[in-house]
Amino acid sequence: RGVGCVTFACLTSPATISLVEQQQLLEEGEGEWNVLALTVNPEERDIDLIVDAERAMLAELHDAMCGVASNDDDDDDSSGVSLLKVHYKVMETLAGNCEQLGLTPIAAVQSDDNDDDGNLNEEGPIWFRCHL
């Protein structure tokens, strides 16, 4: 999705990799990191280890995001990169649920289909905010 897309990997067992879009909103001095993919080694079979690896990756991304925010600020007021989000299509592939992964829904998906009143139908959240 552009120049701001980076890959993060954890090579400890089970290995984990994620694709993150880093967006900077220059007018407000804030930004966000959007998790577009998060994959745990597909050969891992222990569901608890998979959920722990997903949570650990999200926690590390959150810590890295906060590190960027504090390094970018000379006055140390913790502005800067401020939001870590997970796309709903990523959520569909994760073993952990929102509670286990520290995620809450923050926006709704709208389908192209209209209801009987001509309004767009909402299908559910499109982004989940990470609170780790």
Side-chain angles (χ1 to χ4, degrees):
R1 289 184 36 160
V3 179
C5 235
V6 296
T7 302
F8 291 88
C10 175
L11 301 178
T12 59
S13 184
T16 310
I17 190 167
S18 63
L19 181 64
V20 179
E21 175 185 47
Q22 299 173 329
Q23 295 183 330
Q24 192 67 24
L25 307 174
L26 298 177
E27 304 96 38
E28 298 149 19
E30 295 182 352
E32 59 191 34
W33 286 15
N34 302 319
V35 178
L36 304 177
L38 194 160
T39 304
V40 176
N41 181 351
E43 294 183 6
E44 180 57 59
R45 298 292 180 244
D46 185 332
I47 192 71
D48 292 331
L49 283 177
I50 294 169
V51 172
D52 289 345
E54 291 170 348
R55 182 176 173 86
M57 176 59 86
L58 290 171
E60 289 296 323
L61 288 172
H62 188 268
D63 290 348
M65 176 193 70
C66 291
V68 167
S70 64
N71 288 339
D72 285 348
D73 291 331
D74 295 333
D75 58 2
D76 215 15
D77 68 358
S78 67
S79 61
V81 179
S82 60
L83 182 60
L84 176 64
K85 301 186 308 186
V86 176
H87 195 267
Y88 80 100
K89 289 186 178 184
V90 175
M91 279 299 302
E92 293 172 354
T93 68
L94 299 178
N97 61 34
C98 286
E99 183 178 339
Q100 292 170 315
L101 301 176
L103 301 170
T104 56
I106 59 173
V109 175
Q110 293 186 337
S111 72
D112 292 335
D113 299 326
N114 293 341
D115 64 12
D116 293 337
D117 297 326
N119 299 319
L120 289 176
N121 293 322
E122 290 189 3
E123 296 177 358
I126 190 167
W127 292 106
F128 292 82
R129 182 179 189 149
C130 183
H131 296 281
L132 296 176

